[in-house]
Every structure is written in structure tokens, then in C-alpha cells.
Amino acid sequence: MNRAEMIERLSDTTIVWDMLVIGGGATGVGIAIDAASRGYRVALVEGSDFGKGTSSRSTKLIHGGVRYLQQGHLSLVFEALRERGRLRQNAPHLVSDLELLVPTFGSAERWKYRVGLKLYDLLAGRLNFGASRWLSCDEAQRRIPTLRTERLRGAVLYHDGQFDDARLLIAMARTAAEQGATLANYVSVVRLAKSDAGQINGACVLDHESGREWMVQARVVINATGPFADSVRAFDDPTSRPMIAPSQGIHLVLDRDFLPGDAALLVPKTRDGRLMFAIPWHNATLIGTTDTQVDESDGILLEPKARDDEIDFLLETTAGYLTREPTRPDIRSIFAGIRPLVRSDIVKKTAKLARDHVIRTSTSGLITIAGGKWTTYRHMAEKCVDQAAKLGGLAARGCRTHDLPLHGATDDAPPRAAWRVYGTDAALIGELAAADSALAEMLHPRLSLTAAEVVWAARHEMARTVDDVLARRSRGLLLDASAAIEAAPSVANWLSRELGRDAAWQAEQVRAFTSIAADYSIGNGES
């Protein structure tokens, strides 16, 4: 996946694309895979990096949605469980089984969760990850040694999927490219283009690296920009009524010894009405999440900031369930994301809004897809491409992504355990490191990142900045913000060699990344 080649194809103004997708998150890239695999000519532009926003800031679960089961949204749960199973089959290097424990403190809770999770098993059918079952207090504590046992009556164990969201998105982007899609990061839509009849037929785009603008012609334009969907809709119709109800969720990352063992903890109900998870992830403990309505008058931020009350809420809730109570100095990193929920005239609290996806077509032909969740991206893409093909008068072609392996798919063990997320590419990264001992060096003692991975990210994954490498190609920023800041100069040095940049560029990259990373460190929450 070479950016220069992608830009060259995208800037060919003689091409009329079948579909132009705006947005390089899970939904947009999923649409690009689906459309390209059907043989449609598809281009995708992302104003920042792939997954810079919501898609890299999830709770790292591929799941059916226990909360949706509680709310009675059985069709949504069934769809998500089916997609969860397909995703594990199509990306076994990135999606794995995770045991989760739901602690119970009374007989009513015990039977409520046992019955509910048996229904969860049944809805998953042959794609189930494993049967749920009851655990005694001793069995629960063996799986989570730090679990508090005061008043504990036992726990219900069930199975869901765990993944690395940003790495999955890169695998998806490479899959889309392999299927024939043209994708470019750091290319923004400046305005939409319309025919004399008022129908959208393309967009004017800006390449942030060269500063060049040009027109991209397309039969159909798809708005898959998540929390920013209303901004694109305003290009089409400045009077359009907002459809996004943005909600912020934050996560805390702690040392692994807060949650030793391989099982995760699910708190089924917190005081804000959400579930809370404590999950082992990349040799750390991930705690989340919150649901805070965003004041839209402040604008939607690409780098949202955790608030002090959100941080305190997660620390206090976690302390009620684990014997080692986390405090602010224990936090290695904090990250926040914005959920692009779809507005409802009836439901006002974002925590209660349904997570179903919505596809709307404006009178001028702009297709907007919003809502949904990571687990169901493939199904959302299928429905969107079906609608786009019909709108654009394209030849009808069936979806081919149900059993399409994603780039790197393999069950084989990698040369290094930390390289499992690369799948079949791990061996190629190993060859780079073997050919040059300098590339085999770790860039920081608290991060698993090697110089070879930085070089690989620049050559094959379209990494353009230090943030791209430390936040999404690797997960250093999310796992240990201070270590990522310390590693930034080394990353900038290796990137500059690959991209042909100078010392001034390196210094600016370190400065920019340090500014971003400051909000991932404790002491930078907002009251």
C-alpha cells in the first residue's frame, strides 16, 4: 500500500469512479472492501489518518452486545454475534476468544445473568465462541485473582471476542487495496460537486502533503465520516437537520497486575447506566467506558479529551470490584473517543440510544451512513454498497465479503509474540530485522516497538507521522503515554529516512506528537 501510487491514481481526473467514500474509519474502509471486491471502481479519502478518530478508540471487543440483550434488541444482538463469528474466521490473527466474568451478589442476579447469557449463546448458534457457565467464588477468583469477594456469590462466565481495532483497520485498508480500491490518507473533501440538475457527482479534494486541490468525479458519493457526518452533509445542504448525537467514552490503561490472568471483568450496571469492562490487553489492563453527552457548540474534536469526572468515575467503579484500588498515579494512559450515535426525537440520553446503523440518501444523492458498531462493520458495508449501486445505476453484483480473509490472515505463530497482529507480514518484518541489526532494536524498554516495524509502517501501511506510528500502527501511545513520548525522537528519525524528510521535519513531528500525547497522560483531564 503505497501512498504515492494511490495519490497518482486518485488525481487522474479522467476517471469517473463508481463510488467515492469519504472517511477512513471502520465503516468507510469496510465499504471500500465490499465495493472493490464486487468489481466496482472505488476511491476513498480520509482527511487525517486511517482510524484517527473513533475506530482506534474502542473497548477492543468484538461482541454481540450484552447490554443490547438486556434492552431486548435481539435482532441487533443476533446480527452482531453472526458478524463476530465471521470476523474471527476472516481475521484470526487479530480477533481471539476472551473469557469474561460477570460477578453476582444475590440469587436474583445469578439467575438473571445465567439465563440471559444462555440466550446469548443460543443466538450465536454455530458461530459461538464457547458456552457460558456458572462459577463458584473460588473458581471466579482463580480466573481473576484480584477480584473482591465481599458479598460475592459467584460469577457467570461467558465468551466474546477481543481485537486490536487500529491494527484490524490497517489490515482492512490493505485488503481493500488488494481488491483494487484506491485509498489515500491526509486527503480532505473541500466541497461536493453537483451536476446542472443538482445531483452530486463528485468532490473537490485537498492533499494535505502537497497542498494541491483537484476534482474527483464519481457516480455515487458516500459519507462515512462518523462523528463528522453532519459537517459533510452541510456541504450538500447547509440547512440539513443534524443526525448525529455525539457521545464521549473514555478508557484508562493500567499495569497488567491490576488484572492478572487471562479473563476479563464485566460490571453489568454502573451508576451512569452503562456496562464497565476491565480487560487484559497487550500486557496491560484496559478499563472502560463512560457515556458523556458532547456539547456540540464546542465542536467535535479529532483528539477529544477525558474529563476529570470521567476519570474519577472509572477509578471509583473499578475500586469497588478489584482488591487493588487504582489511583491517578497508576494510570499509564487515558484515551477518549466520540461515538457517532444517531439522533432520536424520543430518546434524549445518549446512553439509551440504539446502536443500529442508519443509511440516508439526500435529495441530491449524498449517501450518509451513521451509527452501528465495530463488530457489524461488514454487514453495514454490504447494505450501503447495495444501496449505492442501485442509486448509481451500476450493474448489480452480490456481496463477496462474508468469507473474505483479511490481509495477513493466519493461525500460525509469529516470530515474536507481539507481532501476531501483523499476521503473515510478521515473517517479512522479521526478514527486515534480520538483514539489519539496527532495525531489530527496541525503541523503548517499555514498548514492544522495533525500528523494523516503523520502516514497515512507512513502506507498506502509509504511516506518515510519528502519531500514525505510535498511536495506530503500534499502540504505544494508548498503552504508555510517557514511554511513547520518550520514543518519539527515534520514531521520527526512522520515519524521516523512509519518507525523505529533514531534521526540521523531525523536530516538528516530535513537538506535534508530544502535544497530542500530553492529553493521554494523567493531570490533563478537563473539569
Side-chain angles (χ1 to χ4, degrees), residues 54 223-234 240-248 293-297 299-300 338-345 347-348 350 353-354 356-360 368-372:
T54 304
N223 173 15
T225 54
F228 304 97
D230 285 330
S231 297
V232 176
R233 293 174 66 242
S240 60
R241 183 184 178 191
M243 66 181 289
I244 301 298
S247 162
Q248 175 163 294
Q293 291 182 248
V294 175
D295 184 351
E296 294 160 84
S297 63
I300 306 299
I338 304 297
R339 303 179 190 89
L341 306 178
V342 178
R343 287 179 181 274
S344 167
D345 291 332
V347 179
K348 300 303 179 185
T350 54
L353 284 174
D356 303 50
H357 74 273
V358 170
I359 303 172
R360 293 182 185 170
T368 297
I369 180 166

mmCIF file of all heavy atoms in Angstrom, residues 54 223-234 240-248 293-297 299-300 338-345 347-348 350 353-354 356-360 368-372:
data_model
loop_
_atom_site.group_PDB
_atom_site.id
_atom_site.type_symbol
_atom_site.label_atom_id
_atom_site.label_comp_id
_atom_site.label_asym_id
_atom_site.label_seq_id
_atom_site.Cartn_x
_atom_site.Cartn_y
_atom_site.Cartn_z
ATOM 1 N N THR A 54 -12.785 7.693 15.930
ATOM 2 C CA THR A 54 -13.495 6.705 16.741
ATOM 3 C C THR A 54 -12.946 5.283 16.590
ATOM 4 O O THR A 54 -12.868 4.540 17.569
ATOM 5 C CB THR A 54 -14.986 6.719 16.353
ATOM 6 O OG1 THR A 54 -15.495 8.049 16.506
ATOM 7 C CG2 THR A 54 -15.793 5.781 17.228
ATOM 8 N N ASN A 223 -20.871 9.278 2.439
ATOM 9 C CA ASN A 223 -20.381 9.980 3.624
ATOM 10 C C ASN A 223 -20.302 8.991 4.782
ATOM 11 O O ASN A 223 -21.319 8.601 5.352
ATOM 12 C CB ASN A 223 -21.337 11.139 3.938
ATOM 13 C CG ASN A 223 -21.030 11.842 5.246
ATOM 14 O OD1 ASN A 223 -19.950 11.689 5.821
ATOM 15 N ND2 ASN A 223 -21.996 12.617 5.727
ATOM 16 N N ALA A 224 -19.082 8.568 5.127
ATOM 17 C CA ALA A 224 -18.875 7.607 6.224
ATOM 18 C C ALA A 224 -17.898 8.208 7.222
ATOM 19 O O ALA A 224 -16.921 7.572 7.622
ATOM 20 C CB ALA A 224 -18.348 6.286 5.674
ATOM 21 N N THR A 225 -18.169 9.433 7.637
ATOM 22 C CA THR A 225 -17.224 10.182 8.464
ATOM 23 C C THR A 225 -17.552 10.154 9.950
ATOM 24 O O THR A 225 -16.999 10.935 10.728
ATOM 25 C CB THR A 225 -17.129 11.639 7.988
ATOM 26 O OG1 THR A 225 -18.446 12.214 7.950
ATOM 27 C CG2 THR A 225 -16.512 11.725 6.600
ATOM 28 N N GLY A 226 -18.453 9.272 10.369
ATOM 29 C CA GLY A 226 -18.720 9.094 11.796
ATOM 30 C C GLY A 226 -19.199 10.353 12.473
ATOM 31 O O GLY A 226 -20.185 10.968 12.036
ATOM 32 N N PRO A 227 -18.510 10.794 13.539
ATOM 33 C CA PRO A 227 -18.965 11.978 14.280
ATOM 34 C C PRO A 227 -19.006 13.248 13.438
ATOM 35 O O PRO A 227 -19.660 14.221 13.806
ATOM 36 C CB PRO A 227 -17.918 12.101 15.391
ATOM 37 C CG PRO A 227 -17.278 10.767 15.502
ATOM 38 C CD PRO A 227 -17.316 10.188 14.127
ATOM 39 N N PHE A 228 -18.288 13.237 12.308
ATOM 40 C CA PHE A 228 -18.208 14.432 11.457
ATOM 41 C C PHE A 228 -19.197 14.382 10.281
ATOM 42 O O PHE A 228 -19.120 15.199 9.362
ATOM 43 C CB PHE A 228 -16.778 14.595 10.934
ATOM 44 C CG PHE A 228 -15.763 14.659 12.042
ATOM 45 C CD1 PHE A 228 -15.056 13.516 12.415
ATOM 46 C CD2 PHE A 228 -15.533 15.832 12.730
ATOM 47 C CE1 PHE A 228 -14.125 13.551 13.442
ATOM 48 C CE2 PHE A 228 -14.603 15.877 13.768
ATOM 49 C CZ PHE A 228 -13.904 14.733 14.125
ATOM 50 N N ALA A 229 -20.125 13.418 10.323
ATOM 51 C CA ALA A 229 -21.052 13.225 9.202
ATOM 52 C C ALA A 229 -21.888 14.463 8.911
ATOM 53 O O ALA A 229 -22.159 14.777 7.746
ATOM 54 C CB ALA A 229 -21.967 12.031 9.480
ATOM 55 N N ASP A 230 -22.286 15.184 9.948
ATOM 56 C CA ASP A 230 -23.122 16.365 9.722
ATOM 57 C C ASP A 230 -22.355 17.480 9.013
ATOM 58 O O ASP A 230 -22.944 18.272 8.275
ATOM 59 C CB ASP A 230 -23.697 16.871 11.047
ATOM 60 C CG ASP A 230 -24.825 15.984 11.558
ATOM 61 O OD1 ASP A 230 -25.529 15.380 10.726
ATOM 62 O OD2 ASP A 230 -24.994 15.883 12.791
ATOM 63 N N SER A 231 -21.043 17.548 9.209
ATOM 64 C CA SER A 231 -20.234 18.558 8.513
ATOM 65 C C SER A 231 -20.228 18.293 7.017
ATOM 66 O O SER A 231 -20.327 19.225 6.207
ATOM 67 C CB SER A 231 -18.796 18.539 9.053
ATOM 68 O OG SER A 231 -18.766 18.893 10.418
ATOM 69 N N VAL A 232 -20.123 17.028 6.619
ATOM 70 C CA VAL A 232 -20.158 16.684 5.196
ATOM 71 C C VAL A 232 -21.555 16.909 4.636
ATOM 72 O O VAL A 232 -21.718 17.392 3.511
ATOM 73 C CB VAL A 232 -19.696 15.233 4.980
ATOM 74 C CG1 VAL A 232 -19.818 14.832 3.508
ATOM 75 C CG2 VAL A 232 -18.259 15.053 5.451
ATOM 76 N N ARG A 233 -22.576 16.568 5.428
ATOM 77 C CA ARG A 233 -23.950 16.789 4.978
ATOM 78 C C ARG A 233 -24.214 18.277 4.750
ATOM 79 O O ARG A 233 -24.985 18.658 3.868
ATOM 80 C CB ARG A 233 -24.937 16.217 5.994
ATOM 81 C CG ARG A 233 -24.888 14.701 6.075
ATOM 82 C CD ARG A 233 -25.761 14.142 7.200
ATOM 83 N NE ARG A 233 -27.174 14.372 6.965
ATOM 84 C CZ ARG A 233 -27.954 15.103 7.752
ATOM 85 N NH1 ARG A 233 -27.461 15.688 8.848
ATOM 86 N NH2 ARG A 233 -29.229 15.256 7.468
ATOM 87 N N ALA A 234 -23.543 19.135 5.541
ATOM 88 C CA ALA A 234 -23.717 20.586 5.368
ATOM 89 C C ALA A 234 -23.109 21.070 4.052
ATOM 90 O O ALA A 234 -23.556 22.078 3.495
ATOM 91 C CB ALA A 234 -23.087 21.333 6.543
ATOM 92 N N SER A 240 -29.537 21.310 6.403
ATOM 93 C CA SER A 240 -29.916 19.958 6.826
ATOM 94 C C SER A 240 -29.940 19.849 8.353
ATOM 95 O O SER A 240 -29.106 20.432 9.049
ATOM 96 C CB SER A 240 -28.945 18.925 6.249
ATOM 97 O OG SER A 240 -27.628 19.173 6.682
ATOM 98 N N ARG A 241 -30.894 19.077 8.830
ATOM 99 C CA ARG A 241 -31.048 18.885 10.271
ATOM 100 C C ARG A 241 -29.994 17.887 10.755
ATOM 101 O O ARG A 241 -29.816 16.838 10.145
ATOM 102 C CB ARG A 241 -32.448 18.353 10.562
ATOM 103 C CG ARG A 241 -32.764 18.178 12.037
ATOM 104 C CD ARG A 241 -34.129 17.557 12.202
ATOM 105 N NE ARG A 241 -34.455 17.317 13.590
ATOM 106 C CZ ARG A 241 -35.489 16.590 14.007
ATOM 107 N NH1 ARG A 241 -36.279 16.026 13.108
ATOM 108 N NH2 ARG A 241 -35.715 16.430 15.285
ATOM 109 N N PRO A 242 -29.271 18.184 11.846
ATOM 110 C CA PRO A 242 -28.247 17.266 12.343
ATOM 111 C C PRO A 242 -28.814 15.880 12.623
ATOM 112 O O PRO A 242 -29.929 15.752 13.138
ATOM 113 C CB PRO A 242 -27.754 17.933 13.630
ATOM 114 C CG PRO A 242 -28.064 19.388 13.442
ATOM 115 C CD PRO A 242 -29.347 19.418 12.664
ATOM 116 N N MET A 243 -28.046 14.832 12.276
ATOM 117 C CA MET A 243 -28.488 13.470 12.554
ATOM 118 C C MET A 243 -27.611 12.762 13.587
ATOM 119 O O MET A 243 -27.956 11.687 14.062
ATOM 120 C CB MET A 243 -28.521 12.645 11.261
ATOM 121 C CG MET A 243 -27.197 12.385 10.613
ATOM 122 S SD MET A 243 -27.344 11.413 9.065
ATOM 123 C CE MET A 243 -27.799 9.792 9.681
ATOM 124 N N ILE A 244 -26.470 13.371 13.956
ATOM 125 C CA ILE A 244 -25.549 12.744 14.894
ATOM 126 C C ILE A 244 -25.755 13.297 16.301
ATOM 127 O O ILE A 244 -25.850 14.516 16.506
ATOM 128 C CB ILE A 244 -24.082 12.967 14.465
ATOM 129 C CG1 ILE A 244 -23.844 12.392 13.065
ATOM 130 C CG2 ILE A 244 -23.120 12.354 15.478
ATOM 131 C CD1 ILE A 244 -24.055 10.894 12.958
ATOM 132 N N ALA A 245 -25.818 12.396 17.277
ATOM 133 C CA ALA A 245 -25.846 12.754 18.692
ATOM 134 C C ALA A 245 -24.532 12.248 19.293
ATOM 135 O O ALA A 245 -24.440 11.095 19.710
ATOM 136 C CB ALA A 245 -27.034 12.112 19.400
ATOM 137 N N PRO A 246 -23.486 13.062 19.310
ATOM 138 C CA PRO A 246 -22.170 12.583 19.738
ATOM 139 C C PRO A 246 -22.103 12.287 21.229
ATOM 140 O O PRO A 246 -22.663 13.018 22.056
ATOM 141 C CB PRO A 246 -21.235 13.738 19.363
ATOM 142 C CG PRO A 246 -22.112 14.948 19.369
ATOM 143 C CD PRO A 246 -23.464 14.481 18.922
ATOM 144 N N SER A 247 -21.430 11.218 21.552
ATOM 145 C CA SER A 247 -21.264 10.789 22.947
ATOM 146 C C SER A 247 -19.807 10.422 23.165
ATOM 147 O O SER A 247 -19.198 9.732 22.334
ATOM 148 C CB SER A 247 -22.157 9.580 23.226
ATOM 149 O OG SER A 247 -21.748 8.888 24.388
ATOM 150 N N GLN A 248 -19.227 10.886 24.268
ATOM 151 C CA GLN A 248 -17.821 10.590 24.550
ATOM 152 C C GLN A 248 -17.684 9.401 25.492
ATOM 153 O O GLN A 248 -18.405 9.280 26.475
ATOM 154 C CB GLN A 248 -17.128 11.803 25.172
ATOM 155 C CG GLN A 248 -15.680 11.527 25.602
ATOM 156 C CD GLN A 248 -14.871 12.776 25.821
ATOM 157 O OE1 GLN A 248 -14.601 13.516 24.883
ATOM 158 N NE2 GLN A 248 -14.475 13.026 27.064
ATOM 159 N N GLN A 293 -22.525 12.979 27.161
ATOM 160 C CA GLN A 293 -23.040 13.720 26.016
ATOM 161 C C GLN A 293 -22.121 14.893 25.692
ATOM 162 O O GLN A 293 -21.651 15.602 26.579
ATOM 163 C CB GLN A 293 -24.459 14.206 26.300
ATOM 164 C CG GLN A 293 -25.466 13.060 26.351
ATOM 165 C CD GLN A 293 -26.892 13.519 26.572
ATOM 166 O OE1 GLN A 293 -27.477 13.272 27.608
ATOM 167 N NE2 GLN A 293 -27.453 14.166 25.579
ATOM 168 N N VAL A 294 -21.846 15.069 24.413
ATOM 169 C CA VAL A 294 -20.915 16.102 23.963
ATOM 170 C C VAL A 294 -21.679 17.378 23.656
ATOM 171 O O VAL A 294 -22.716 17.352 22.985
ATOM 172 C CB VAL A 294 -20.152 15.617 22.708
ATOM 173 C CG1 VAL A 294 -19.277 16.731 22.145
ATOM 174 C CG2 VAL A 294 -19.310 14.395 23.044
ATOM 175 N N ASP A 295 -21.159 18.484 24.150
ATOM 176 C CA ASP A 295 -21.736 19.791 23.840
ATOM 177 C C ASP A 295 -21.299 20.178 22.429
ATOM 178 O O ASP A 295 -20.143 20.534 22.196
ATOM 179 C CB ASP A 295 -21.246 20.832 24.856
ATOM 180 C CG ASP A 295 -21.900 22.206 24.648
ATOM 181 O OD1 ASP A 295 -22.590 22.387 23.617
ATOM 182 O OD2 ASP A 295 -21.720 23.086 25.505
ATOM 183 N N GLU A 296 -22.224 20.084 21.491
ATOM 184 C CA GLU A 296 -21.870 20.296 20.092
ATOM 185 C C GLU A 296 -21.494 21.739 19.779
ATOM 186 O O GLU A 296 -20.868 22.012 18.756
ATOM 187 C CB GLU A 296 -23.022 19.844 19.200
ATOM 188 C CG GLU A 296 -23.260 18.347 19.267
ATOM 189 C CD GLU A 296 -24.643 17.960 18.808
ATOM 190 O OE1 GLU A 296 -24.817 17.826 17.595
ATOM 191 O OE2 GLU A 296 -25.522 17.794 19.660
ATOM 192 N N SER A 297 -21.836 22.661 20.665
ATOM 193 C CA SER A 297 -21.450 24.058 20.425
ATOM 194 C C SER A 297 -19.934 24.225 20.496
ATOM 195 O O SER A 297 -19.377 25.175 19.951
ATOM 196 C CB SER A 297 -22.123 24.974 21.452
ATOM 197 O OG SER A 297 -21.683 24.670 22.773
ATOM 198 N N GLY A 299 -17.938 22.019 19.186
ATOM 199 C CA GLY A 299 -17.399 21.331 18.022
ATOM 200 C C GLY A 299 -16.904 19.939 18.377
ATOM 201 O O GLY A 299 -16.612 19.640 19.538
ATOM 202 N N ILE A 300 -16.853 19.067 17.384
ATOM 203 C CA ILE A 300 -16.363 17.710 17.574
ATOM 204 C C ILE A 300 -14.850 17.708 17.370
ATOM 205 O O ILE A 300 -14.356 18.128 16.323
ATOM 206 C CB ILE A 300 -17.020 16.733 16.577
ATOM 207 C CG1 ILE A 300 -18.546 16.825 16.661
ATOM 208 C CG2 ILE A 300 -16.558 15.306 16.862
ATOM 209 C CD1 ILE A 300 -19.127 16.480 17.998
ATOM 210 N N ILE A 338 -15.256 9.491 20.377
ATOM 211 C CA ILE A 338 -16.616 10.002 20.189
ATOM 212 C C ILE A 338 -17.449 8.975 19.437
ATOM 213 O O ILE A 338 -17.077 8.548 18.340
ATOM 214 C CB ILE A 338 -16.617 11.330 19.401
ATOM 215 C CG1 ILE A 338 -15.728 12.365 20.098
ATOM 216 C CG2 ILE A 338 -18.042 11.858 19.256
ATOM 217 C CD1 ILE A 338 -16.191 12.767 21.477
ATOM 218 N N ARG A 339 -18.567 8.569 20.022
ATOM 219 C CA ARG A 339 -19.496 7.650 19.348
ATOM 220 C C ARG A 339 -20.418 8.464 18.431
ATOM 221 O O ARG A 339 -21.071 9.396 18.876
ATOM 222 C CB ARG A 339 -20.360 6.909 20.362
ATOM 223 C CG ARG A 339 -19.601 6.111 21.397
ATOM 224 C CD ARG A 339 -20.575 5.437 22.359
ATOM 225 N NE ARG A 339 -19.866 4.871 23.493
ATOM 226 C CZ ARG A 339 -19.604 5.524 24.620
ATOM 227 N NH1 ARG A 339 -20.004 6.782 24.757
ATOM 228 N NH2 ARG A 339 -18.954 4.934 25.598
ATOM 229 N N PRO A 340 -20.527 8.077 17.174
ATOM 230 C CA PRO A 340 -21.424 8.792 16.260
ATOM 231 C C PRO A 340 -22.832 8.202 16.302
ATOM 232 O O PRO A 340 -23.301 7.580 15.345
ATOM 233 C CB PRO A 340 -20.761 8.569 14.894
ATOM 234 C CG PRO A 340 -20.123 7.213 15.023
ATOM 235 C CD PRO A 340 -19.704 7.065 16.472
ATOM 236 N N LEU A 341 -23.515 8.383 17.425
ATOM 237 C CA LEU A 341 -24.863 7.821 17.574
ATOM 238 C C LEU A 341 -25.864 8.617 16.733
ATOM 239 O O LEU A 341 -25.669 9.809 16.465
ATOM 240 C CB LEU A 341 -25.277 7.845 19.045
ATOM 241 C CG LEU A 341 -24.308 7.164 20.019
ATOM 242 C CD1 LEU A 341 -24.818 7.296 21.452
ATOM 243 C CD2 LEU A 341 -24.123 5.699 19.651
ATOM 244 N N VAL A 342 -26.921 7.946 16.341
ATOM 245 C CA VAL A 342 -27.945 8.589 15.518
ATOM 246 C C VAL A 342 -29.018 9.178 16.415
ATOM 247 O O VAL A 342 -29.531 8.508 17.328
ATOM 248 C CB VAL A 342 -28.563 7.589 14.522
ATOM 249 C CG1 VAL A 342 -29.655 8.260 13.699
ATOM 250 C CG2 VAL A 342 -27.482 7.023 13.604
ATOM 251 N N ARG A 343 -29.351 10.428 16.170
ATOM 252 C CA ARG A 343 -30.343 11.141 16.978
ATOM 253 C C ARG A 343 -31.704 10.459 16.962
ATOM 254 O O ARG A 343 -32.081 9.801 15.991
ATOM 255 C CB ARG A 343 -30.538 12.569 16.464
ATOM 256 C CG ARG A 343 -29.410 13.503 16.758
ATOM 257 C CD ARG A 343 -29.700 14.884 16.183
ATOM 258 N NE ARG A 343 -28.607 15.798 16.446
ATOM 259 C CZ ARG A 343 -28.476 16.512 17.569
ATOM 260 N NH1 ARG A 343 -29.397 16.435 18.509
ATOM 261 N NH2 ARG A 343 -27.443 17.312 17.726
ATOM 262 N N SER A 344 -32.429 10.686 18.044
ATOM 263 C CA SER A 344 -33.805 10.213 18.145
ATOM 264 C C SER A 344 -34.657 11.342 18.690
ATOM 265 O O SER A 344 -34.236 12.077 19.583
ATOM 266 C CB SER A 344 -33.879 9.001 19.080
ATOM 267 O OG SER A 344 -35.217 8.715 19.433
ATOM 268 N N ASP A 345 -35.869 11.487 18.151
ATOM 269 C CA ASP A 345 -36.776 12.503 18.662
ATOM 270 C C ASP A 345 -37.390 12.091 19.994
ATOM 271 O O ASP A 345 -37.963 12.913 20.703
ATOM 272 C CB ASP A 345 -37.902 12.761 17.650
ATOM 273 C CG ASP A 345 -37.395 13.438 16.388
ATOM 274 O OD1 ASP A 345 -36.388 14.162 16.473
ATOM 275 O OD2 ASP A 345 -38.007 13.226 15.317
ATOM 276 N N VAL A 347 -35.720 9.447 22.334
ATOM 277 C CA VAL A 347 -34.682 9.175 23.335
ATOM 278 C C VAL A 347 -33.678 10.317 23.332
ATOM 279 O O VAL A 347 -33.113 10.660 22.293
ATOM 280 C CB VAL A 347 -33.961 7.846 23.028
ATOM 281 C CG1 VAL A 347 -32.877 7.574 24.060
ATOM 282 C CG2 VAL A 347 -34.969 6.708 22.985
ATOM 283 N N LYS A 348 -33.445 10.907 24.492
ATOM 284 C CA LYS A 348 -32.542 12.050 24.583
ATOM 285 C C LYS A 348 -31.188 11.676 25.173
ATOM 286 O O LYS A 348 -30.165 12.226 24.772
ATOM 287 C CB LYS A 348 -33.184 13.154 25.445
ATOM 288 C CG LYS A 348 -34.512 13.667 24.876
ATOM 289 C CD LYS A 348 -34.358 14.197 23.456
ATOM 290 C CE LYS A 348 -35.675 14.682 22.883
ATOM 291 N NZ LYS A 348 -35.552 15.093 21.471
ATOM 292 N N THR A 350 -27.804 9.825 25.516
ATOM 293 C CA THR A 350 -27.014 9.046 24.570
ATOM 294 C C THR A 350 -26.812 7.615 25.048
ATOM 295 O O THR A 350 -26.678 6.699 24.235
ATOM 296 C CB THR A 350 -25.648 9.708 24.329
ATOM 297 O OG1 THR A 350 -24.996 9.932 25.586
ATOM 298 C CG2 THR A 350 -25.806 11.018 23.588
ATOM 299 N N LEU A 353 -29.560 5.522 23.565
ATOM 300 C CA LEU A 353 -29.781 5.488 22.127
ATOM 301 C C LEU A 353 -29.376 4.132 21.554
ATOM 302 O O LEU A 353 -28.376 3.544 21.951
ATOM 303 C CB LEU A 353 -28.968 6.586 21.436
ATOM 304 C CG LEU A 353 -29.494 8.021 21.554
ATOM 305 C CD1 LEU A 353 -28.509 8.993 20.944
ATOM 306 C CD2 LEU A 353 -30.860 8.162 20.888
ATOM 307 N N ALA A 354 -30.153 3.648 20.594
ATOM 308 C CA ALA A 354 -29.856 2.370 19.950
ATOM 309 C C ALA A 354 -28.579 2.500 19.133
ATOM 310 O O ALA A 354 -28.249 3.565 18.619
ATOM 311 C CB ALA A 354 -31.017 1.950 19.053
ATOM 312 N N ASP A 356 -28.041 0.776 16.363
ATOM 313 C CA ASP A 356 -28.293 0.366 14.991
ATOM 314 C C ASP A 356 -27.682 1.383 14.025
ATOM 315 O O ASP A 356 -27.556 2.559 14.330
ATOM 316 C CB ASP A 356 -29.803 0.303 14.711
ATOM 317 C CG ASP A 356 -30.536 -0.629 15.651
ATOM 318 O OD1 ASP A 356 -30.332 -0.509 16.866
ATOM 319 O OD2 ASP A 356 -31.314 -1.449 15.171
ATOM 320 N N HIS A 357 -27.348 0.913 12.829
ATOM 321 C CA HIS A 357 -26.850 1.841 11.823
ATOM 322 C C HIS A 357 -28.014 2.391 10.998
ATOM 323 O O HIS A 357 -29.089 1.789 10.929
ATOM 324 C CB HIS A 357 -25.819 1.166 10.914
ATOM 325 C CG HIS A 357 -26.407 0.206 9.930
ATOM 326 N ND1 HIS A 357 -26.642 -1.120 10.233
ATOM 327 C CD2 HIS A 357 -26.802 0.369 8.638
ATOM 328 C CE1 HIS A 357 -27.157 -1.726 9.181
ATOM 329 N NE2 HIS A 357 -27.261 -0.854 8.197
ATOM 330 N N VAL A 358 -27.781 3.537 10.391
ATOM 331 C CA VAL A 358 -28.778 4.203 9.567
ATOM 332 C C VAL A 358 -28.109 4.617 8.258
ATOM 333 O O VAL A 358 -26.982 5.118 8.262
ATOM 334 C CB VAL A 358 -29.351 5.448 10.284
ATOM 335 C CG1 VAL A 358 -30.201 6.274 9.335
ATOM 336 C CG2 VAL A 358 -30.157 5.040 11.506
ATOM 337 N N ILE A 359 -28.796 4.405 7.133
ATOM 338 C CA ILE A 359 -28.316 4.858 5.824
ATOM 339 C C ILE A 359 -29.359 5.811 5.255
ATOM 340 O O ILE A 359 -30.524 5.441 5.111
ATOM 341 C CB ILE A 359 -28.094 3.680 4.855
ATOM 342 C CG1 ILE A 359 -27.103 2.670 5.437
ATOM 343 C CG2 ILE A 359 -27.606 4.179 3.502
ATOM 344 C CD1 ILE A 359 -26.968 1.393 4.628
ATOM 345 N N ARG A 360 -28.942 7.036 4.972
ATOM 346 C CA ARG A 360 -29.868 8.035 4.430
ATOM 347 C C ARG A 360 -29.312 8.602 3.128
ATOM 348 O O ARG A 360 -28.110 8.827 3.002
ATOM 349 C CB ARG A 360 -30.082 9.171 5.430
ATOM 350 C CG ARG A 360 -30.817 8.743 6.689
ATOM 351 C CD ARG A 360 -31.045 9.910 7.619
ATOM 352 N NE ARG A 360 -31.651 9.481 8.872
ATOM 353 C CZ ARG A 360 -31.792 10.257 9.954
ATOM 354 N NH1 ARG A 360 -31.391 11.527 9.884
ATOM 355 N NH2 ARG A 360 -32.344 9.786 11.049
ATOM 356 N N THR A 368 -25.369 8.948 3.319
ATOM 357 C CA THR A 368 -24.714 9.049 4.626
ATOM 358 C C THR A 368 -25.016 7.797 5.423
ATOM 359 O O THR A 368 -26.176 7.402 5.560
ATOM 360 C CB THR A 368 -25.201 10.285 5.404
ATOM 361 O OG1 THR A 368 -24.836 11.467 4.689
ATOM 362 C CG2 THR A 368 -24.580 10.331 6.796
ATOM 363 N N ILE A 369 -23.978 7.155 5.956
ATOM 364 C CA ILE A 369 -24.150 6.005 6.829
ATOM 365 C C ILE A 369 -23.607 6.375 8.203
ATOM 366 O O ILE A 369 -22.499 6.908 8.324
ATOM 367 C CB ILE A 369 -23.464 4.737 6.267
ATOM 368 C CG1 ILE A 369 -23.680 3.549 7.215
ATOM 369 C CG2 ILE A 369 -21.996 4.964 5.954
ATOM 370 C CD1 ILE A 369 -23.329 2.203 6.599
ATOM 371 N N ALA A 370 -24.393 6.118 9.240
ATOM 372 C CA ALA A 370 -24.007 6.520 10.594
ATOM 373 C C ALA A 370 -24.505 5.479 11.591
ATOM 374 O O ALA A 370 -25.356 4.644 11.283
ATOM 375 C CB ALA A 370 -24.576 7.895 10.928
ATOM 376 N N GLY A 371 -23.965 5.575 12.814
ATOM 377 C CA GLY A 371 -24.340 4.622 13.859
ATOM 378 C C GLY A 371 -23.612 3.304 13.693
ATOM 379 O O GLY A 371 -22.550 3.227 13.086
ATOM 380 N N GLY A 372 -24.212 2.251 14.236
ATOM 381 C CA GLY A 372 -23.605 0.936 14.154
ATOM 382 C C GLY A 372 -22.471 0.770 15.138
ATOM 383 O O GLY A 372 -22.245 1.593 16.019
#
